[in-house]
């Protein structure tokens, strides 16, 4: 059974940003699908479907690797 978790990410402004974040999160073990609702220059919603709940620290590190910041929950 899959689980879906929504994260808020600051700093994304374009499709390239979305692709970078999607690529980094998809590379995490267990991640199955990533969708991004882009809010240019604001806080975008990133929804991750995974086999099990992903460690928030790992998701934050993946987002930071792409050059953006996970907003505190």
């Amino acid at each position: 059974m899959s689980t879906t978790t929504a994260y808020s990410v600051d700093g994304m402004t374009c499709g390239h940003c979305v692709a970078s974040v999607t690529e980094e999160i998809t590379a995490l073990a267990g991640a199955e699908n990533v969708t991004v609702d882009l809010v240019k220059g604001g806080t975008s919603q990133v929804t991750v479907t995974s086999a099990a709940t992903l460690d928030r620290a790992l998701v934050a590190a993946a987002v930071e690797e792409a050059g953006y910041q996970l907003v505190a929950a």
Side-chain angles (χ1 to χ4, degrees), residues 9-65:
V9 177
D10 276 347
M12 293 190 287
T13 59
C14 64
H16 182 270
C17 304
V18 170
S20 296
V21 168
T22 300
E23 179 181 349
E24 292 295 336
I25 295 176
T26 301
L28 296 174
E32 297 171 347
N33 187 49
V34 178
T35 57
V36 179
D37 181 14
L38 177 64
V39 177
K40 294 181 180 182
T43 301
S44 300
Q45 176 111 353
V46 179
T47 304
V48 181
T49 302
S50 53
T53 302
L54 299 176
D55 183 331
R56 184 175 172 84
L58 293 177
V59 175
V63 168
E64 288 173 16
E65 180 68 27

